[in-house]
Amino acid sequence: VQEIPPRYEELGLPSLLEDVRLDDPSFYSAQPYDVFAQLRADAPVHWYEPASFWVLSTHADVQFAAKNPQLFSSAGGVMIDEIAHPDRAAQRVGGEGEVLLRTDPPRHAELRAIAAPAFTQPAIRVLAERIRAIAAERLDRVAADGGVVDFVEAVSQPIPMEVVCLLLGLPIADATFLKERALAQTSGHGADDGEAFTAALERRRELEQYFDEHLEQRRRSPQDDLITVLAHAEPEGDPMSRMTRVLFCLDLLIAGTETTDVSISGGALLLAQHPDQRDRIAADLGRARNSVEEMLRYISPAVAMARTVTEEVTVRDTVMKPGDRVALLFMSANHDEAVWDEPDSFDIDRPNAIRHMAFGAGPHVCIGAGLARLELTIVLEELLARVPQLTLAGDPQPLQSTLVNGLATLPVRAA
Ligand code: HEM
C-alpha cells in the first residue's frame, strides 16, 4: 500500500505521462487517447503533482467514485479547474445558495426530487414535436445555404438553448442572450486564465439576475412550466433560499446546453468522417438510437468531474486521505479497453456502446439524460433527412476547456 501522496518524480512514470498537464485545456482538446491508455495501464490511480489532485481513468474506478458520494463528495468542487484552483467553486456559487450538482446526499435527493418530474419519459415526450420543429428549422437553413456554414453557430449551439427555453418555460427569443452568457461559463475553464474566469463571473451575475426576475414573475403568476415549479417548491428538509432557486435554473441552463451542443457538432463530424456508417443510419433509422450512444461514448462531452475525499479510502492499492481532490476522467473511462474492443474507433453497431458514462453515474447521474438522448436522436434523424451529404469544408477548431470536449467551429457544406 502506497502512503500517499508521493512526490511526482518518485513515481518513475513512463515518458508519455511526464509532460502531461492534466489541468490544461489544450491537453484534452488534443484528444490524448494514447495518454489515457497509458494512464489506465500504468497509473490508473495517478497523483498529479503540479496541481495536487488524484486522477482516476478506468471505467471501474471512475464508476466506483461516482457511485460512492459518502466517500467522494461533490461539495468541495466538481470541476477540474475548481480542484486546481480551490477558490473558484466558492466564487462561482456566490456563497449563499445550494446547487444540485454540488450537494451531497441526503440533501441532494431532496433538491433533485423537485425537478425530477419534469424529466420523466412522459414529460419529455411532450416536447418531442417542438424539438423536431426547432431542429428542422435550423437544418433547413443549412440546406438552403449554398456556401460554407459554421455548423456550431448555425445548428449545434442554438438547438440545445432553445430546448432548454422550452423546458424551463422561457421565451425562445431570449435564447441568444442566454447563450452568450452561458458560453462564457465554460470558456472560463482555462488552467491559469484568471481574466476569463472573472469575465465569466460577470456574465454569470447577469444570468442570476435574469432568473431572479423570472422566478419572481412566476411567484406572482404561476404557469405550467419548470420555472414555476422551482419558484414554488418547498423541499422536505430545509427551505430553499431565493438564491438556491436562481442557481437551480442556472445549473439546468449550463448543464443542458454546451454538453448537448458538443454532442451534436461532434456527432456531425463523426458522420462526415465515416460516410459509410452515416449511409447505414440513413438507410435504417432504427440504428439512430445506438448511433447516438456510440457518439456519446466516443465524444464523451463531459471531460471529467471532480470530487473531494471525505474519509480514508483505498482505491486499488493506493490510500487517499480526507480532503484529497480527485478527478474522474470520463473521457478516458469511455475509451477503456476493459469494456470495449478497439475503444478508439467509432462503430455505430457496437453492441455495448450504452455502457458509457457520458452522463456520469450514481446519484448525480445526469438528470437530463433522457431529454438529451431524445434531442440527439431527433437532430440526427432531421440531419439525415435534410442534409444527408453534409461534408467538411475546413478544419474544425476544438474548444479549449477542461470541462467540455468538443468543437468551437465546424465548417461544413450541405452537399
Ligand atoms: C449530451 C448531453 C449531456 C451530457 C453529456 C451531460 C453530462 C452530465 C454529467 C456527466 C453529469 C454528472 C455530473 C457529476 O457527476 O458531478 C450531469 C449532471 C447534470 N446534468 Fe447533464 N448532461 C447532458 C445534458 C443535460 C441536459 C439536457 C440537462 C437539462 C436540461 C442536464 C442537466 C444536468 C443537471 C441538472 C445535472 C446535475 C444532476 C445532479 O447533480 O443530480 N444535462 N450531466
Side-chain angles (χ1 to χ4, degrees), residues 198-267:
T198 310
L201 274 187
E202 279 168 28
R203 301 279 87 80
R204 199 179 163 94
R205 302 296 170 243
E206 290 169 15
L207 287 172
E208 287 171 9
Q209 195 184 341
Y210 173 92
F211 284 120
D212 197 32
E213 285 164 14
H214 278 266
L215 285 161
E216 184 51 38
Q217 196 274 333
R218 296 301 202 282
R219 261 190 290 275
R220 281 185 271 111
S221 45
Q223 291 175 26
D224 182 16
D225 58 30
L226 186 48
I227 294 246
T228 303
V229 171
L230 294 172
H232 292 269
E234 295 301 341
E236 277 178 27
D238 293 337
M240 267 211 300
S241 71
R242 187 172 177 149
M243 195 56 178
T244 297
R245 294 176 205 273
V246 167
L247 292 176
F248 217 129
C249 299
L250 202 62
D251 210 14
L252 288 167
L253 179 85
I254 293 169
T257 49
E258 201 164 9
T259 43
T260 318
D261 163 4
V262 298
S263 308
I264 295 173
S265 53

Side-chain angles (χ1 to χ4, degrees), residues 80-197:
I80 284 187
D81 86 319
E82 294 173 352
I83 55 172
H85 306 265
D87 52 317
R88 288 192 174 179
Q91 285 190 58
R92 266 197 191 110
V93 177
E96 330 135 38
E98 302 165 284
V99 187
L100 185 63
L101 196 64
R102 302 168 190 281
T103 310
D104 290 328
R107 178 62 168 166
H108 170 261
E110 291 170 9
L111 293 177
R112 189 156 162 135
I114 292 167
F119 290 96
T120 60
Q121 282 303 323
I124 290 164
R125 278 270 142 219
V126 169
L127 302 176
E129 285 321 302
R130 283 147 86 196
I131 296 175
R132 195 173 292 282
I134 288 172
E137 205 239 288
R138 291 284 163 186
L139 289 161
D140 277 344
R141 282 198 223 173
V142 176
D145 193 310
V148 176
V149 176
D150 176 14
F151 191 83
V152 173
E153 200 185 348
V155 178
S156 70
Q157 271 180 2
I159 293 175
M161 188 54 80
E162 291 179 12
V163 171
V164 167
C165 287
L166 270 187
L167 175 80
L168 283 166
L170 300 168
I172 300 259
D174 290 356
T176 308
F177 167 90
L178 294 169
K179 188 189 73 185
E180 281 164 14
R181 280 148 192 83
L183 275 179
Q185 304 313 310
T186 32
S187 58
H189 281 253
D192 298 310
D193 194 350
E195 219 170 277
F197 178 72

